[in-house]
Amino acid sequence: IERVTMDDPGVPLSADDPYFSFRIGTNEELKKFMDMKKDIVNGGSGVRDAMMAVEGPDPWIEELIRKYPDVPSAYFVRAILRARRLSSTPALKDLEKALELFPEFYEAFALRSEILRHRHDAPGALQAARRAVELMPDYAEGRLALAMAKFEENPAAADSFMEDLAIARALDPYDEEIFRRERVLRYQVRGPRELGCRFEAETPHYRVMTDISAEAAKRYGEILEAGWRRYTAGFRTDFVRPNARKPRVSIFYTAENYYTYFDILSSVRGEHTLGVFRQELNEMVFFETPDRTDTIQTMLHEAFHHYLSLLCVDTPPYWYNEGMAEYMSAVEVEGD
Protein backbone atom coordinates (compact mmCIF):
# COMPACT_ATOMS: atom_id res chain seq x y z
CA ILE A 1 0.00 0.00 0.00
CA GLU A 2 1.44 3.36 -1.05
CA ARG A 3 1.67 5.81 1.81
CA VAL A 4 0.55 9.33 0.89
CA THR A 5 2.95 12.13 1.88
CA MET A 6 2.76 15.91 1.73
CA ASP A 7 5.55 15.97 -0.85
CA ASP A 8 3.15 17.58 -3.35
CA PRO A 9 4.66 19.87 -6.02
CA GLY A 10 1.37 21.81 -6.13
CA VAL A 11 1.97 23.10 -2.59
CA PRO A 12 5.71 23.53 -2.16
CA LEU A 13 5.95 24.41 1.50
CA SER A 14 9.34 23.96 3.13
CA ALA A 15 7.64 22.08 6.00
CA ASP A 16 6.22 19.47 3.59
CA ASP A 17 8.47 16.62 4.61
CA PRO A 18 7.63 12.96 5.34
CA TYR A 19 9.19 13.48 8.77
CA PHE A 20 6.15 15.64 9.59
CA SER A 21 3.50 14.10 7.32
CA PHE A 22 3.91 10.63 8.80
CA ARG A 23 2.72 12.07 12.11
CA ILE A 24 -0.81 12.30 10.68
CA GLY A 25 -2.35 8.98 11.57
CA THR A 26 -4.41 7.88 8.56
CA ASN A 27 -4.12 8.09 4.82
CA GLU A 28 -7.59 9.62 4.58
CA GLU A 29 -6.76 12.41 7.01
CA LEU A 30 -3.47 13.15 5.26
CA LYS A 31 -5.09 13.35 1.83
CA LYS A 32 -7.84 15.63 3.13
CA PHE A 33 -5.25 17.89 4.72
CA MET A 34 -3.19 17.99 1.50
CA ASP A 35 -6.27 18.99 -0.50
CA MET A 36 -7.20 21.66 2.05
CA LYS A 37 -3.67 23.02 2.10
CA LYS A 38 -3.57 23.22 -1.68
CA ASP A 39 -6.86 25.14 -1.80
CA ILE A 40 -5.92 27.55 0.98
CA VAL A 41 -2.27 28.23 0.17
CA ASN A 42 -2.48 28.22 -3.63
CA GLY A 43 -6.02 29.52 -3.87
CA GLY A 44 -5.20 32.77 -2.08
CA SER A 45 -1.40 32.84 -2.03
CA GLY A 46 -1.51 32.39 1.74
CA VAL A 47 1.23 34.89 2.48
CA ARG A 48 0.09 38.15 0.91
CA ASP A 49 -3.67 37.63 0.57
CA ALA A 50 -4.32 36.19 4.01
CA MET A 51 -5.27 39.59 5.39
CA MET A 52 -7.77 40.33 2.62
CA ALA A 53 -10.32 37.51 2.79
CA VAL A 54 -13.05 36.98 5.39
CA GLU A 55 -13.37 33.22 5.69
CA GLY A 56 -13.39 31.68 9.15
CA PRO A 57 -11.40 28.72 10.52
CA ASP A 58 -12.43 25.25 9.43
CA PRO A 59 -13.55 22.99 12.31
CA TRP A 60 -11.77 20.07 10.68
CA ILE A 61 -8.33 21.71 10.89
CA GLU A 62 -9.00 22.43 14.56
CA GLU A 63 -9.68 18.73 15.14
CA LEU A 64 -6.63 17.71 13.10
CA ILE A 65 -4.33 19.90 15.22
CA ARG A 66 -5.92 18.56 18.39
CA LYS A 67 -5.20 14.97 17.29
CA TYR A 68 -1.76 15.67 15.79
CA PRO A 69 -0.26 18.71 17.57
CA ASP A 70 3.24 18.44 16.06
CA VAL A 71 2.66 19.07 12.31
CA PRO A 72 4.01 22.56 11.49
CA SER A 73 2.19 23.07 8.19
CA ALA A 74 -1.16 22.44 9.94
CA TYR A 75 -0.50 25.47 12.15
CA PHE A 76 0.50 27.45 9.04
CA VAL A 77 -2.81 26.63 7.35
CA ARG A 78 -4.77 27.57 10.45
CA ALA A 79 -2.79 30.82 10.70
CA ILE A 80 -3.93 31.74 7.19
CA LEU A 81 -7.54 30.96 8.06
CA ARG A 82 -7.31 33.00 11.25
CA ALA A 83 -5.67 35.90 9.44
CA ARG A 84 -8.50 35.85 6.93
CA ARG A 85 -10.87 36.16 9.85
CA LEU A 86 -8.81 39.23 10.87
CA SER A 87 -7.74 37.51 14.07
CA SER A 88 -4.05 38.30 13.88
CA THR A 89 -3.08 37.48 17.47
CA PRO A 90 -4.18 33.80 17.27
CA ALA A 91 -2.62 33.63 13.78
CA LEU A 92 0.73 34.82 15.14
CA LYS A 93 0.53 32.22 17.91
CA ASP A 94 0.02 29.51 15.28
CA LEU A 95 3.04 30.72 13.35
CA GLU A 96 5.08 30.77 16.55
CA LYS A 97 4.17 27.12 17.12
CA ALA A 98 4.94 26.20 13.50
CA LEU A 99 8.38 27.81 13.80
CA GLU A 100 9.00 26.10 17.12
CA LEU A 101 8.42 22.76 15.37
CA PHE A 102 10.35 23.72 12.22
CA PRO A 103 12.63 26.75 12.70
CA GLU A 104 13.52 26.91 8.97
CA PHE A 105 9.90 27.33 7.86
CA TYR A 106 10.59 30.39 5.71
CA GLU A 107 6.99 30.68 4.43
CA ALA A 108 5.86 31.06 8.03
CA PHE A 109 8.35 33.89 8.52
CA ALA A 110 7.01 35.64 5.40
CA LEU A 111 3.41 35.33 6.58
CA ARG A 112 4.45 36.54 10.03
CA SER A 113 6.01 39.58 8.37
CA GLU A 114 2.83 40.38 6.45
CA ILE A 115 0.66 40.10 9.55
CA LEU A 116 2.99 42.26 11.63
CA ARG A 117 3.08 44.86 8.87
CA HIS A 118 -0.72 45.06 8.90
CA ARG A 119 -0.42 45.62 12.66
CA HIS A 120 2.02 48.48 11.89
CA ASP A 121 4.87 46.66 13.63
CA ALA A 122 7.55 47.61 11.12
CA PRO A 123 10.55 46.34 13.16
CA GLY A 124 8.91 42.95 13.71
CA ALA A 125 7.85 42.71 10.07
CA LEU A 126 11.37 43.53 8.90
CA GLN A 127 12.95 40.98 11.20
CA ALA A 128 10.61 38.21 10.04
CA ALA A 129 11.00 39.05 6.33
CA ARG A 130 14.78 39.21 6.58
CA ARG A 131 14.79 35.79 8.23
CA ALA A 132 12.62 34.38 5.41
CA VAL A 133 15.03 35.73 2.78
CA GLU A 134 18.03 34.54 4.78
CA LEU A 135 16.63 31.00 4.82
CA MET A 136 15.61 31.08 1.13
CA PRO A 137 17.23 33.94 -0.85
CA ASP A 138 15.34 33.13 -4.06
CA TYR A 139 11.89 33.06 -2.39
CA ALA A 140 9.90 35.68 -4.31
CA GLU A 141 7.19 36.02 -1.64
CA GLY A 142 9.86 36.61 0.96
CA ARG A 143 11.40 39.38 -1.12
CA LEU A 144 7.95 40.90 -1.55
CA ALA A 145 7.33 40.76 2.21
CA LEU A 146 10.72 42.39 2.81
CA ALA A 147 9.96 45.21 0.37
CA MET A 148 6.57 45.91 1.96
CA ALA A 149 8.07 45.84 5.47
CA LYS A 150 10.71 48.37 4.40
CA PHE A 151 7.97 50.57 2.95
CA GLU A 152 6.05 50.36 6.23
CA GLU A 153 9.14 51.42 8.14
CA ASN A 154 10.13 54.27 5.83
CA PRO A 155 8.11 55.12 2.69
CA ALA A 156 10.85 57.55 1.66
CA ALA A 157 13.46 54.76 1.35
CA ALA A 158 12.37 53.99 -2.20
CA ASP A 159 15.75 52.75 -3.45
CA SER A 160 15.81 49.98 -0.86
CA PHE A 161 12.29 48.54 -1.17
CA MET A 162 12.10 49.02 -4.95
CA GLU A 163 15.27 46.95 -5.27
CA ASP A 164 13.66 44.10 -3.34
CA LEU A 165 10.55 44.36 -5.51
CA ALA A 166 12.70 44.15 -8.64
CA ILE A 167 14.37 41.02 -7.28
CA ALA A 168 10.98 39.50 -6.46
CA ARG A 169 9.74 40.22 -9.98
CA ALA A 170 12.91 38.69 -11.49
CA LEU A 171 12.42 35.56 -9.37
CA ASP A 172 8.77 35.21 -10.43
CA PRO A 173 8.16 37.32 -13.56
CA TYR A 174 4.66 35.89 -14.07
CA ASP A 175 3.35 36.89 -10.66
CA GLU A 176 0.82 39.64 -11.30
CA GLU A 177 0.62 40.64 -7.63
CA ILE A 178 4.34 41.40 -7.46
CA PHE A 179 4.02 43.51 -10.61
CA ARG A 180 0.99 45.33 -9.18
CA ARG A 181 2.70 46.14 -5.90
CA GLU A 182 5.81 47.36 -7.67
CA ARG A 183 3.70 49.70 -9.78
CA VAL A 184 1.66 50.91 -6.78
CA LEU A 185 4.70 51.72 -4.67
CA ARG A 186 6.46 53.44 -7.56
CA TYR A 187 3.52 55.80 -8.02
CA GLN A 188 2.96 56.06 -4.28
CA VAL A 189 6.46 57.45 -3.89
CA ARG A 190 5.76 60.01 -6.61
CA GLY A 191 2.39 60.85 -5.11
CA PRO A 192 -0.36 62.86 -6.79
CA ARG A 193 1.95 65.73 -7.75
CA GLU A 194 2.19 64.43 -11.34
CA LEU A 195 -1.56 64.91 -11.60
CA GLY A 196 -1.32 68.52 -10.52
CA CYS A 197 -1.45 68.35 -6.71
CA ARG A 198 1.17 71.02 -6.06
CA PHE A 199 -0.60 72.84 -3.23
CA GLU A 200 0.21 71.45 0.22
CA ALA A 201 -0.76 72.07 3.81
CA GLU A 202 0.39 70.19 6.89
CA THR A 203 -1.71 70.01 10.03
CA PRO A 204 -1.03 68.30 13.37
CA HIS A 205 -2.46 65.01 12.06
CA TYR A 206 -2.60 65.18 8.23
CA ARG A 207 -0.55 66.05 5.14
CA VAL A 208 -2.91 67.56 2.55
CA MET A 209 -2.14 67.82 -1.18
CA THR A 210 -4.49 69.23 -3.81
CA ASP A 211 -4.64 70.62 -7.32
CA ILE A 212 -7.30 73.19 -6.35
CA SER A 213 -5.52 75.99 -4.49
CA ALA A 214 -3.37 76.72 -1.48
CA GLU A 215 -6.44 78.06 0.28
CA ALA A 216 -8.33 74.83 -0.41
CA ALA A 217 -5.48 72.74 1.03
CA LYS A 218 -5.57 74.84 4.19
CA ARG A 219 -9.39 74.74 4.42
CA TYR A 220 -9.65 71.00 4.02
CA GLY A 221 -6.86 70.49 6.53
CA GLU A 222 -8.84 72.52 9.08
CA ILE A 223 -11.96 70.45 8.40
CA LEU A 224 -10.05 67.23 8.91
CA GLU A 225 -8.68 68.52 12.21
CA ALA A 226 -12.23 69.39 13.28
CA GLY A 227 -13.15 65.79 12.50
CA TRP A 228 -10.16 64.56 14.52
CA ARG A 229 -11.40 66.53 17.53
CA ARG A 230 -14.81 64.92 17.04
CA TYR A 231 -13.26 61.44 17.00
CA THR A 232 -11.12 62.03 20.09
CA ALA A 233 -14.16 63.36 21.95
CA GLY A 234 -15.88 60.02 21.48
CA PHE A 235 -13.03 57.52 21.86
CA ARG A 236 -10.23 56.99 24.35
CA THR A 237 -7.17 58.66 22.90
CA ASP A 238 -4.71 56.63 24.98
CA PHE A 239 -5.30 53.74 22.55
CA VAL A 240 -4.07 55.74 19.57
CA ARG A 241 -0.96 54.13 18.10
CA PRO A 242 2.06 56.19 19.17
CA ASN A 243 4.44 57.63 16.60
CA ALA A 244 2.03 56.92 13.73
CA ARG A 245 2.94 58.68 10.48
CA LYS A 246 0.55 61.35 9.28
CA PRO A 247 -1.54 60.09 6.37
CA ARG A 248 -1.32 61.81 3.01
CA VAL A 249 -4.65 63.33 1.96
CA SER A 250 -4.95 63.85 -1.81
CA ILE A 251 -7.87 66.00 -2.95
CA PHE A 252 -8.58 66.48 -6.67
CA TYR A 253 -10.64 69.19 -8.31
CA THR A 254 -12.12 66.80 -10.91
CA ALA A 255 -13.51 63.30 -10.61
CA GLU A 256 -11.48 62.24 -13.66
CA ASN A 257 -8.15 62.91 -11.97
CA TYR A 258 -9.41 61.04 -8.91
CA TYR A 259 -10.38 58.05 -11.08
CA THR A 260 -6.99 58.13 -12.81
CA TYR A 261 -5.11 58.14 -9.51
CA PHE A 262 -7.43 55.46 -8.15
CA ASP A 263 -6.67 53.32 -11.21
CA ILE A 264 -2.92 53.77 -10.83
CA LEU A 265 -3.00 52.51 -7.24
CA SER A 266 -5.53 49.70 -7.59
CA SER A 267 -5.94 48.77 -11.31
CA VAL A 268 -9.61 49.84 -11.28
CA ARG A 269 -11.02 53.35 -11.74
CA GLY A 270 -13.20 53.35 -8.65
CA GLU A 271 -16.03 55.20 -10.39
CA HIS A 272 -18.47 53.85 -7.79
CA THR A 273 -16.62 55.72 -5.02
CA LEU A 274 -16.36 59.30 -3.76
CA GLY A 275 -13.28 58.72 -1.63
CA VAL A 276 -11.03 56.01 -0.24
CA PHE A 277 -8.66 55.31 2.63
CA ARG A 278 -5.91 52.84 1.83
CA GLN A 279 -4.48 51.66 5.12
CA GLU A 280 -1.57 49.86 3.49
CA LEU A 281 -0.44 53.09 1.83
CA ASN A 282 -1.57 55.39 4.66
CA GLU A 283 -3.37 57.65 2.21
CA MET A 284 -6.86 59.14 1.77
CA VAL A 285 -8.00 60.28 -1.69
CA PHE A 286 -11.02 62.43 -2.61
CA PHE A 287 -12.39 64.84 -5.22
CA GLU A 288 -14.59 67.89 -4.91
CA THR A 289 -18.22 67.11 -5.64
CA PRO A 290 -20.66 69.82 -6.82
CA ASP A 291 -22.07 69.89 -3.29
CA ARG A 292 -19.11 70.50 -1.00
CA THR A 293 -21.13 69.19 1.93
CA ASP A 294 -20.99 65.74 0.33
CA THR A 295 -17.24 66.09 -0.11
CA ILE A 296 -16.78 66.97 3.55
CA GLN A 297 -18.95 64.07 4.73
CA THR A 298 -16.98 61.63 2.54
CA MET A 299 -13.72 63.02 3.94
CA LEU A 300 -14.86 62.67 7.54
CA HIS A 301 -16.10 59.12 6.81
CA GLU A 302 -12.75 58.01 5.36
CA ALA A 303 -10.80 59.94 7.99
CA PHE A 304 -12.60 57.97 10.68
CA HIS A 305 -11.46 54.73 9.00
CA HIS A 306 -7.93 56.08 9.37
CA TYR A 307 -8.53 57.02 13.01
CA LEU A 308 -9.93 53.56 13.76
CA SER A 309 -6.84 51.99 12.19
CA LEU A 310 -4.81 53.77 14.89
CA LEU A 311 -6.98 52.27 17.64
CA CYS A 312 -7.35 48.67 16.45
CA VAL A 313 -4.79 45.94 15.92
CA ASP A 314 -7.08 44.26 13.38
CA THR A 315 -9.60 45.79 11.00
CA PRO A 316 -12.98 45.81 12.80
CA PRO A 317 -15.96 43.89 11.37
CA TYR A 318 -17.39 45.50 8.24
CA TRP A 319 -20.71 46.42 9.88
CA TYR A 320 -18.94 48.27 12.69
CA ASN A 321 -16.23 49.84 10.55
CA GLU A 322 -18.66 51.29 7.99
CA GLY A 323 -21.49 52.00 10.40
CA MET A 324 -19.34 53.99 12.81
CA ALA A 325 -17.58 55.86 9.97
CA GLU A 326 -20.96 56.91 8.58
CA TYR A 327 -22.22 57.92 12.03
CA MET A 328 -19.09 59.93 12.85
CA SER A 329 -19.21 61.72 9.49
CA ALA A 330 -22.75 63.04 10.04
CA VAL A 331 -21.67 66.30 11.66
CA GLU A 332 -21.80 69.95 10.70
CA VAL A 333 -18.54 71.86 10.66
CA GLU A 334 -18.79 75.56 11.44
CA GLY A 335 -15.77 77.84 11.51
CA ASP A 336 -12.92 75.65 12.75
Side-chain angles (χ1 to χ4, degrees), residues 204-235:
H205 301 100
Y206 304 95
R207 295 182 300 114
V208 181
M209 299 183 68
T210 183
D211 59 354
I212 303 172
S213 67
E215 193 279 332
K218 180 175 180 293
R219 181 179 70 244
Y220 281 125
E222 291 171 349
I223 291 170
L224 286 165
E225 287 297 332
W228 180 276
R229 290 193 292 275
R230 163 72 169 158
Y231 310 148
T232 57
F235 290 82

Short mmCIF file of all heavy atoms in Angstrom, two decimals, residues 204-235:
data_model
loop_
_atom_site.label_atom_id
_atom_site.label_comp_id
_atom_site.label_asym_id
_atom_site.label_seq_id
_atom_site.Cartn_x
_atom_site.Cartn_y
_atom_site.Cartn_z
N PRO A 204 -1.58 69.20 12.34
CA PRO A 204 -1.03 68.30 13.37
C PRO A 204 -1.20 66.82 13.07
O PRO A 204 -0.38 66.02 13.53
CB PRO A 204 -1.82 68.70 14.62
CG PRO A 204 -2.17 70.14 14.41
CD PRO A 204 -2.43 70.25 12.94
N HIS A 205 -2.21 66.44 12.27
CA HIS A 205 -2.46 65.01 12.06
C HIS A 205 -2.55 64.59 10.59
O HIS A 205 -2.72 63.40 10.32
CB HIS A 205 -3.77 64.61 12.76
CG HIS A 205 -3.77 64.86 14.23
ND1 HIS A 205 -4.38 65.95 14.81
CD2 HIS A 205 -3.19 64.16 15.24
CE1 HIS A 205 -4.20 65.92 16.12
NE2 HIS A 205 -3.48 64.85 16.40
N TYR A 206 -2.41 65.52 9.64
CA TYR A 206 -2.60 65.18 8.23
C TYR A 206 -1.61 65.95 7.36
O TYR A 206 -1.16 67.04 7.72
CB TYR A 206 -4.03 65.50 7.77
CG TYR A 206 -5.10 64.83 8.57
CD1 TYR A 206 -5.72 65.50 9.64
CD2 TYR A 206 -5.50 63.52 8.31
CE1 TYR A 206 -6.71 64.89 10.39
CE2 TYR A 206 -6.48 62.90 9.06
CZ TYR A 206 -7.08 63.59 10.10
OH TYR A 206 -8.05 62.97 10.86
N ARG A 207 -1.31 65.37 6.18
CA ARG A 207 -0.55 66.05 5.14
C ARG A 207 -1.47 66.15 3.92
O ARG A 207 -1.77 65.15 3.27
CB ARG A 207 0.73 65.28 4.78
CG ARG A 207 1.74 65.19 5.90
CD ARG A 207 3.01 64.47 5.48
NE ARG A 207 2.75 63.10 5.06
CZ ARG A 207 2.92 62.65 3.82
NH1 ARG A 207 3.34 63.46 2.86
NH2 ARG A 207 2.68 61.38 3.53
N VAL A 208 -1.91 67.35 3.60
CA VAL A 208 -2.91 67.56 2.55
C VAL A 208 -2.22 68.02 1.27
O VAL A 208 -1.36 68.91 1.30
CB VAL A 208 -3.95 68.61 2.98
CG1 VAL A 208 -5.00 68.81 1.89
CG2 VAL A 208 -4.60 68.19 4.30
N MET A 209 -2.61 67.40 0.13
CA MET A 209 -2.14 67.82 -1.18
C MET A 209 -3.35 67.95 -2.10
O MET A 209 -4.26 67.12 -2.06
CB MET A 209 -1.16 66.78 -1.76
CG MET A 209 0.10 66.56 -0.95
SD MET A 209 1.25 65.40 -1.74
CE MET A 209 1.77 66.35 -3.18
N THR A 210 -3.35 69.02 -2.91
CA THR A 210 -4.49 69.23 -3.81
C THR A 210 -4.05 69.97 -5.06
O THR A 210 -2.99 70.63 -5.06
CB THR A 210 -5.61 70.00 -3.09
OG1 THR A 210 -6.74 70.13 -3.95
CG2 THR A 210 -5.13 71.39 -2.66
N ASP A 211 -4.87 69.86 -6.10
CA ASP A 211 -4.64 70.62 -7.32
C ASP A 211 -5.59 71.81 -7.42
O ASP A 211 -5.71 72.44 -8.47
CB ASP A 211 -4.80 69.72 -8.55
CG ASP A 211 -6.19 69.09 -8.64
OD1 ASP A 211 -6.98 69.25 -7.70
OD2 ASP A 211 -6.47 68.42 -9.65
N ILE A 212 -6.28 72.13 -6.32
CA ILE A 212 -7.30 73.19 -6.35
C ILE A 212 -6.65 74.54 -6.08
O ILE A 212 -6.62 75.41 -6.95
CB ILE A 212 -8.41 72.89 -5.33
CG1 ILE A 212 -9.04 71.51 -5.60
CG2 ILE A 212 -9.48 73.99 -5.39
CD1 ILE A 212 -10.00 71.05 -4.53
N SER A 213 -6.16 74.73 -4.87
CA SER A 213 -5.52 75.99 -4.49
C SER A 213 -4.87 75.82 -3.13
O SER A 213 -5.19 74.88 -2.39
CB SER A 213 -6.54 77.14 -4.45
OG SER A 213 -7.45 76.93 -3.38
N ALA A 214 -3.99 76.75 -2.80
CA ALA A 214 -3.37 76.72 -1.48
C ALA A 214 -4.42 76.94 -0.39
O ALA A 214 -4.36 76.34 0.68
CB ALA A 214 -2.28 77.79 -1.40
N GLU A 215 -5.39 77.80 -0.69
CA GLU A 215 -6.44 78.06 0.28
C GLU A 215 -7.29 76.81 0.53
O GLU A 215 -7.68 76.53 1.67
CB GLU A 215 -7.33 79.21 -0.22
CG GLU A 215 -8.28 79.79 0.82
CD GLU A 215 -9.55 78.98 1.01
OE1 GLU A 215 -9.97 78.30 0.05
OE2 GLU A 215 -10.12 78.99 2.13
N ALA A 216 -7.55 76.06 -0.55
CA ALA A 216 -8.33 74.83 -0.41
C ALA A 216 -7.59 73.80 0.43
O ALA A 216 -8.18 73.10 1.27
CB ALA A 216 -8.67 74.25 -1.78
N ALA A 217 -6.28 73.68 0.23
CA ALA A 217 -5.48 72.74 1.03
C ALA A 217 -5.59 73.10 2.50
O ALA A 217 -5.77 72.22 3.36
CB ALA A 217 -4.03 72.76 0.57
N LYS A 218 -5.48 74.39 2.81
CA LYS A 218 -5.57 74.84 4.19
C LYS A 218 -6.98 74.59 4.76
O LYS A 218 -7.13 74.10 5.88
CB LYS A 218 -5.22 76.32 4.27
CG LYS A 218 -5.27 76.94 5.67
CD LYS A 218 -4.80 78.38 5.62
CE LYS A 218 -4.83 79.01 7.01
NZ LYS A 218 -6.21 79.17 7.51
N ARG A 219 -8.01 74.90 3.95
CA ARG A 219 -9.39 74.74 4.42
C ARG A 219 -9.72 73.29 4.72
O ARG A 219 -10.30 72.97 5.76
CB ARG A 219 -10.34 75.31 3.37
CG ARG A 219 -11.82 75.22 3.76
CD ARG A 219 -12.73 75.81 2.70
NE ARG A 219 -12.76 74.99 1.49
CZ ARG A 219 -12.33 75.37 0.31
NH1 ARG A 219 -11.79 76.57 0.16
NH2 ARG A 219 -12.42 74.57 -0.74
N TYR A 220 -9.35 72.41 3.81
CA TYR A 220 -9.65 71.00 4.02
C TYR A 220 -8.85 70.43 5.19
O TYR A 220 -9.32 69.55 5.92
CB TYR A 220 -9.40 70.20 2.74
CG TYR A 220 -10.52 70.34 1.73
CD1 TYR A 220 -10.27 70.77 0.43
CD2 TYR A 220 -11.83 70.04 2.08
CE1 TYR A 220 -11.29 70.90 -0.49
CE2 TYR A 220 -12.87 70.17 1.16
CZ TYR A 220 -12.59 70.61 -0.13
OH TYR A 220 -13.61 70.74 -1.03
N GLY A 221 -7.64 70.92 5.37
CA GLY A 221 -6.86 70.49 6.53
C GLY A 221 -7.55 70.88 7.83
O GLY A 221 -7.59 70.10 8.80
N GLU A 222 -8.13 72.09 7.88
CA GLU A 222 -8.84 72.52 9.08
C GLU A 222 -10.08 71.67 9.33
O GLU A 222 -10.41 71.35 10.48
CB GLU A 222 -9.23 74.00 8.92
CG GLU A 222 -8.04 74.95 8.96
CD GLU A 222 -8.41 76.37 8.59
OE1 GLU A 222 -9.55 76.57 8.09
OE2 GLU A 222 -7.59 77.28 8.78
N ILE A 223 -10.77 71.30 8.25
CA ILE A 223 -11.96 70.45 8.40
C ILE A 223 -11.58 69.07 8.93
O ILE A 223 -12.25 68.52 9.82
CB ILE A 223 -12.69 70.33 7.05
CG1 ILE A 223 -13.32 71.68 6.68
CG2 ILE A 223 -13.76 69.24 7.09
CD1 ILE A 223 -13.86 71.74 5.27
N LEU A 224 -10.49 68.53 8.42
CA LEU A 224 -10.05 67.23 8.91
C LEU A 224 -9.66 67.29 10.39
O LEU A 224 -9.94 66.36 11.15
CB LEU A 224 -8.86 66.74 8.07
CG LEU A 224 -9.22 66.23 6.66
CD1 LEU A 224 -7.96 66.13 5.81
CD2 LEU A 224 -9.93 64.89 6.74
N GLU A 225 -9.04 68.37 10.80
CA GLU A 225 -8.68 68.52 12.21
C GLU A 225 -9.93 68.65 13.08
O GLU A 225 -9.96 68.15 14.21
CB GLU A 225 -7.76 69.73 12.40
CG GLU A 225 -6.34 69.52 11.89
CD GLU A 225 -5.60 68.42 12.63
OE1 GLU A 225 -5.91 68.17 13.82
OE2 GLU A 225 -4.69 67.81 12.04
N ALA A 226 -10.96 69.32 12.55
CA ALA A 226 -12.23 69.39 13.28
C ALA A 226 -12.81 67.99 13.45
O ALA A 226 -13.34 67.63 14.51
CB ALA A 226 -13.22 70.29 12.55
N GLY A 227 -12.70 67.17 12.40
CA GLY A 227 -13.15 65.79 12.50
C GLY A 227 -12.34 65.02 13.53
O GLY A 227 -12.89 64.24 14.32
N TRP A 228 -11.02 65.24 13.54
CA TRP A 228 -10.16 64.56 14.52
C TRP A 228 -10.60 64.89 15.94
O TRP A 228 -10.66 64.01 16.80
CB TRP A 228 -8.71 64.98 14.30
CG TRP A 228 -7.75 64.34 15.26
CD1 TRP A 228 -7.45 64.75 16.52
CD2 TRP A 228 -6.98 63.15 15.04
NE1 TRP A 228 -6.53 63.91 17.11
CE2 TRP A 228 -6.22 62.92 16.22
CE3 TRP A 228 -6.83 62.28 13.96
CZ2 TRP A 228 -5.34 61.85 16.33
CZ3 TRP A 228 -5.96 61.21 14.08
CH2 TRP A 228 -5.22 61.00 15.25
N ARG A 229 -10.94 66.16 16.19
CA ARG A 229 -11.40 66.53 17.53
C ARG A 229 -12.71 65.83 17.86
O ARG A 229 -12.95 65.45 19.01
CB ARG A 229 -11.54 68.05 17.61
CG ARG A 229 -10.20 68.78 17.60
CD ARG A 229 -10.35 70.24 18.00
NE ARG A 229 -11.07 71.02 16.99
CZ ARG A 229 -10.49 71.57 15.93
NH1 ARG A 229 -9.19 71.41 15.71
NH2 ARG A 229 -11.20 72.29 15.09
N ARG A 230 -13.55 65.65 16.85
CA ARG A 230 -14.81 64.92 17.04
C ARG A 230 -14.53 63.47 17.40
O ARG A 230 -15.15 62.91 18.31
CB ARG A 230 -15.64 65.02 15.76
CG ARG A 230 -16.76 64.03 15.61
CD ARG A 230 -17.92 64.32 16.52
NE ARG A 230 -19.08 63.51 16.16
CZ ARG A 230 -20.07 63.23 16.97
NH1 ARG A 230 -20.05 63.69 18.21
NH2 ARG A 230 -21.08 62.51 16.58
N TYR A 231 -13.57 62.84 16.72
CA TYR A 231 -13.26 61.44 17.00
C TYR A 231 -12.70 61.28 18.42
O TYR A 231 -13.09 60.38 19.16
CB TYR A 231 -12.23 60.90 16.00
CG TYR A 231 -12.56 61.15 14.55
CD1 TYR A 231 -11.55 61.36 13.62
CD2 TYR A 231 -13.88 61.19 14.10
CE1 TYR A 231 -11.83 61.60 12.29
CE2 TYR A 231 -14.17 61.44 12.77
CZ TYR A 231 -13.14 61.66 11.87
OH TYR A 231 -13.40 61.90 10.56
N THR A 232 -11.76 62.17 18.77
CA THR A 232 -11.12 62.03 20.09
C THR A 232 -12.08 62.35 21.22
O THR A 232 -11.85 61.93 22.36
CB THR A 232 -9.88 62.93 20.19
OG1 THR A 232 -10.26 64.29 19.95
CG2 THR A 232 -8.82 62.51 19.19
N ALA A 233 -13.15 63.09 20.92
CA ALA A 233 -14.16 63.36 21.95
C ALA A 233 -15.00 62.12 22.24
O ALA A 233 -15.59 62.01 23.32
CB ALA A 233 -15.07 64.52 21.52
N GLY A 234 -15.03 61.20 21.31
CA GLY A 234 -15.88 60.02 21.48
C GLY A 234 -15.14 58.74 21.79
O GLY A 234 -15.76 57.73 22.15
N PHE A 235 -13.81 58.74 21.66
CA PHE A 235 -13.03 57.52 21.86
C PHE A 235 -11.83 57.81 22.74
O PHE A 235 -11.31 58.93 22.73
CB PHE A 235 -12.55 56.95 20.52
CG PHE A 235 -13.64 56.38 19.67
CD1 PHE A 235 -14.42 57.21 18.89
CD2 PHE A 235 -13.91 55.02 19.67
CE1 PHE A 235 -15.44 56.70 18.11
CE2 PHE A 235 -14.92 54.50 18.90
CZ PHE A 235 -15.70 55.35 18.12
#
